[in-house]
Amino acid sequence: MDMFIMRKVNVWHLLFVLLFSILVSPAFSQAEPEVLTLERAMELALQNNIDLKRAQNNVIAAVSNKRQAVMNFLPNLNGSIGYTVSNGTNFDNNSGQFVTTTFEQSSPTLSSNMNLFSAFYNHHLLHRRENELESSVYALRYSELIVRANVLLRFLNVSLDRENIKNSERRLELLQSQLEREEKRESVGVASLENVYNFRSQVANQKLTLVGLENQYKSDFLALIQTLQLNDPENYVLQDIEVQVSAEDTQVEPFQQVMAEVLENSYNVKSSFYTMQAAKNALKVSRTSYYPSVGIGAGIGTRYSTNNDGELFSQYKTFTNNYYGFQISVPIFNNFLVKNQVAQAKVGMFNAELNYKQAILDITNRIQRDYLDLVSSITSYESALENFEAQEQTFNFVQTRFDTGATDFYTYLESLNNKNNAEITLINAKYSIAFRNKILDLFRGMSSTTE
């Protein structure tokens, strides 16, 4: 009996260990993180951005408003039917006498009305809704553009962080190899202990620098993930990007040409323009209330009562009546309500005009900054490339002299710092050219993708 119990316990123990091993296995415990490319980042941002979804909803509402404005030109049509059971003494309209009884009656009607003239209210309202729709469509496109531009900037920062980390790791490997070399040389009495201490200090400083760069990368990567409105940064890894700068990338058109293309294709400026036009039409709509309106109407009805002779449908046929006519409404005094509405519409129009000017100013200021950044990056790249090649040659020469003992540690360190700084400057300029060209292309309407 005891042996049976022991075997049973051992079996369950083995099953538990096996299950636990499967659950903690990397293949089952956590899926592989997704490689986040620039194209994938754009796709996720466009899918998840809340402001973009609001803009899409605004387009849907604008389409509905325009449809209603078109329908306002058509006559309405209303039908009604009532059914009443009366008990007691009542006046029966059908028999024309008072009756004391329980009777049933109904009166179906069908009516229609149409506005003939209201100082072109419907026309002005339709133009207003059309302009609002155009504005919302361009606002949606502008929201998409801003999402793309923000992703490009975030991706630029993270990519630069990655390159700076790689550069720092290469520097750390070089210093560690030099430290190991000096320790070996010092152990056999060929090198001084001072160089060993100096290299140890530089290795420690470089490790600290590397930690700072890694923390900056994590911060910028988190900002990218938040821009994409994702939840867990651990589920994604950044794709390595190899940026190449061609001669075409370093050729930039004059600012006036770039600015003219931006203003011609600016979604935000177009959205503000149509908003301004809609505000002007809103003012025209409010002014129509000063004028008389003319409408026509017609209807048909019938009735049925149990006090009358005949079946339901025969009474409907017998007591059928119809009407038609027109109505003129003349505003005389409305407590200055219309005057206040017109005043409010004027303020809305003035503000819309100011917003249009502000949109032009905002896009001009942004393009000026982006254009200056691009030109500065191109200028820096050309000089940084020349400087890096010179510093790399100088460092190779100094390193050879240092290895042979022909120069001191401080000369070696200064040359290494100059080479690293030149490489960082070159990397920053190269990535800035590539990404800022993409951003300017977006605003110029030359590209809507990340290609």
Side-chain angles (χ1 to χ4, degrees), residues 153 366-380 429 432-433 436 440:
L153 287 174
R366 170 154 191 164
I367 297 305
Q368 284 177 337
R369 291 193 301 269
D370 290 341
Y371 185 86
L372 179 60
D373 290 339
L374 176 59
V375 173
S376 299
S377 299
I378 292 174
T379 304
S380 299
S432 183
I433 290 173
R436 295 195 183 282
L440 275 181

Side-chain angles (χ1 to χ4, degrees), residues 242-252 374 377-378 381-382 385 429-431 433-435 437 441:
E242 184 64 29
V243 172
Q244 299 294 337
V245 176
S246 63
E248 182 181 355
D249 295 328
T250 59
Q251 301 297 321
V252 59
L374 176 59
S377 299
I378 292 174
Y381 173 77
E382 293 172 348
L385 181 61
K430 183 167 62 173
Y431 274 80
I433 290 173
F435 280 85
N437 266 321
D441 286 346

Side-chain angles (χ1 to χ4, degrees), residues 56-66 133 136:
Q56 291 170 346
N57 292 336
N58 290 338
V59 172
I60 295 174
V63 170
S64 178
N65 287 336
K66 179 186 175 182
L133 176 57
S136 64

Side-chain angles (χ1 to χ4, degrees), residues 6-16:
M6 289 296 295
R7 289 178 179 175
K8 187 176 182 180
V9 170
N10 288 336
V11 170
W12 282 107
H13 176 73
L14 290 174
L15 290 175
F16 174 77

Side-chain angles (χ1 to χ4, degrees), residues 284-409:
K284 294 179 181 179
V285 169
S286 65
R287 285 173 172 166
T288 59
S289 298
Y290 282 129
Y291 302 97
S293 62
V294 179
I296 59 173
I300 184 172
T302 185
R303 59 185 183 274
Y304 162 79
S305 175
T306 56
N307 289 326
N308 297 330
D309 297 330
E311 298 295 331
L312 175 67
F313 290 104
S314 64
Q315 287 193 38
Y316 279 167
K317 184 177 180 180
T318 301
F319 295 107
T320 298
N321 63 86
N322 55 68
Y323 71 90
Y324 58 89
F326 71 93
Q327 180 182 10
I328 299 177
S329 177
V330 180
I332 298 176
F333 178 72
N334 50 27
N335 304 99
F336 295 102
L337 178 62
V338 176
K339 184 176 182 179
N340 180 64
Q341 291 175 345
V342 171
Q344 296 295 329
K346 283 184 179 180
V347 173
M349 183 187 68
F350 295 150
N351 286 336
E353 291 174 348
L354 293 175
N355 291 337
Y356 174 64
K357 295 178 180 179
Q358 185 66 52
I360 296 177
L361 181 61
D362 289 342
I363 193 63
T364 301
N365 292 341
R366 170 154 191 164
I367 297 305
Q368 284 177 337
R369 291 193 301 269
D370 290 341
Y371 185 86
L372 179 60
D373 290 339
L374 176 59
V375 173
S376 299
S377 299
I378 292 174
T379 304
S380 299
Y381 173 77
E382 293 172 348
S383 59
L385 181 61
E386 181 180 354
N387 183 45
F388 173 71
E389 293 174 351
Q391 295 297 338
E392 188 174 35
Q393 292 176 354
T394 300
F395 173 72
N396 292 335
F397 176 74
V398 172
Q399 184 176 28
T400 302
R401 288 176 56 84
F402 179 76
D403 292 341
T404 59
T407 189
D408 57 39
F409 168 80

Side-chain angles (χ1 to χ4, degrees), residues 105-119:
Q105 61 181 1
S106 65
S107 54
T109 61
L110 188 65
S111 62
S112 177
N113 295 279
M114 181 177 182
N115 182 278
L116 292 181
F117 176 78
S118 57

Side-chain angles (χ1 to χ4, degrees), residues 173-276:
E173 291 176 0
L174 177 61
L175 290 173
Q176 286 177 329
S177 63
Q178 287 293 89
L179 172 60
E180 293 173 359
R181 177 178 178 277
E182 292 301 311
E183 287 176 339
K184 291 179 181 179
R185 294 182 65 196
E186 190 276 333
S187 64
V188 297
V190 178
S192 65
L193 189 60
E194 179 183 1
N195 284 346
V196 174
Y197 290 150
N198 287 333
F199 274 110
R200 286 178 181 174
S201 175
Q202 290 301 314
V203 168
N205 287 336
Q206 191 59 35
K207 287 181 178 179
L208 182 60
T209 299
L210 182 58
V211 170
L213 292 174
E214 290 173 344
N215 290 335
Q216 182 63 45
Y217 168 78
K218 292 178 181 178
S219 177
D220 288 339
F221 187 69
L222 177 60
L224 173 62
I225 295 298
Q226 291 174 343
T227 299
L228 306 183
Q229 298 185 3
L230 301 174
N231 294 324
D232 192 359
E234 300 297 329
N235 294 333
Y236 302 90
V237 293
L238 193 71
Q239 178 196 35
D240 283 329
I241 297 179
E242 184 64 29
V243 172
Q244 299 294 337
V245 176
S246 63
E248 182 181 355
D249 295 328
T250 59
Q251 301 297 321
V252 59
E253 293 85 353
F255 174 75
Q256 296 301 329
Q257 178 182 343
V258 173
M259 194 68 243
E261 293 177 356
V262 170
L263 290 177
E264 181 181 358
N265 296 282
S266 174
Y267 296 139
N268 191 37
V269 172
K270 291 181 179 180
S271 177
S272 299
F273 172 78
Y274 283 107
T275 298
M276 179 179 66

